Amino acid sequence: MASDAFGDQRQFSEYFAARRDVVRRTAYLLCGDWHWADDLTQTAFMRLALRWRKVRDHGALDAFVRTCLLRAYLAETRRAWRRRELSHADVPDTRAGPDAMEQSTARTAFIAALGELAPRQRAVLVCRFYHDLDVAATAEALGCSEGTVKTHASRGLARLRTLLGDDLERLPATMTGDARDFLA
């Protein structure tokens, strides 16, 4: 029995090491704060760790962790103290070159605009365009109907386009993949 526990622990450790950064980036896209993203990532992996021995389909681990992450994020946004708290990232100590600075400015504008969306709209856009989930998979991950996903996606994209305004024209030229996928 002890060898089974050791094997389970090793498998979980390997999965965690392989997927931690991806889950953390997704959490950051959801909340816009690296510290909060770390907390959400930890919560998602803790939920997986608690259920690790009951997992039958190891191919569905990414979907399970993503669902845990999304639900943890949405639960946190409903807390009164979270709505009052405003966090701001520190300015980096190093100076970036002109290309990196332009790309960083565009990325910051995009993340700021993403942060202006309602939590469910943001979660839907991250699922649909960052994780490339279809409407049905997004609805399943968020525990809502497909119509709700379509509504949140449509309204979220329209709001992003409004918020980015003139920056929208420069955004595709300076950013890679993620932002272009959101606004295509």
Side-chain angles (χ1 to χ4, degrees):
M1 187 76 170
S3 63
D4 283 338
F6 180 73
D8 287 343
Q9 185 177 10
R10 184 182 49 76
Q11 286 178 336
F12 176 80
S13 295
E14 289 172 359
Y15 178 77
F16 174 78
R19 301 303 295 165
R20 178 189 60 226
D21 291 338
V22 171
V23 173
R24 185 173 180 250
R25 281 192 299 271
T26 299
Y28 178 75
L29 282 174
L30 289 169
C31 66
D33 177 343
W34 285 112
H35 299 292
W36 188 10
D38 288 336
D39 292 344
L40 291 171
T41 301
Q42 181 178 4
T43 299
F45 278 112
M46 286 302 297
R47 289 180 183 170
L48 175 62
L50 291 172
R51 291 165 185 81
W52 186 262
R53 296 191 86 173
K54 296 179 183 178
V55 172
R56 292 184 185 152
D57 181 12
H58 285 275
L61 289 174
D62 288 344
F64 180 80
V65 171
R66 182 175 44 249
T67 298
C68 290
L69 180 68
L70 291 166
R71 292 184 180 173
Y73 165 70
L74 292 172
E76 281 288 316
T77 61
R78 288 189 288 268
R79 294 177 187 230
W81 67 270
R82 180 62 74 184
R83 288 191 300 265
R84 289 191 311 263
E85 179 181 320
L86 295 175
S87 61
H88 302 281
D90 296 330
V91 178
D93 292 335
T94 60
R95 183 180 173 306
D99 292 339
M101 190 166 68
E102 185 177 321
Q103 193 172 28
S104 177
T105 302
R107 189 175 312 276
T108 301
F110 178 72
I111 293 296
L114 197 59
E116 293 293 318
L117 300 179
R120 282 221 172 245
Q121 288 176 352
R122 191 173 183 162
V124 165
L125 291 180
V126 168
C127 284
R128 291 280 292 127
F129 300 103
Y130 184 72
H131 282 286
D132 200 26
L133 297 180
D134 62 13
V135 174
T138 301
E140 183 178 333
L142 293 172
C144 63
S145 71
E146 291 182 21
T148 301
V149 169
K150 292 175 185 178
T151 300
H152 283 306
S154 175
R155 290 179 183 168
L157 287 172
R159 178 85 171 120
L160 271 180
R161 287 182 187 108
T162 300
L163 290 169
L164 290 172
D166 294 336
D167 291 337
L168 183 59
E169 297 302 319
R170 290 181 307 191
L171 194 62
T174 59
M175 292 191 68
T176 57
D178 307 340
R180 283 188 278 182
D181 292 342
F182 270 74
L183 300 168

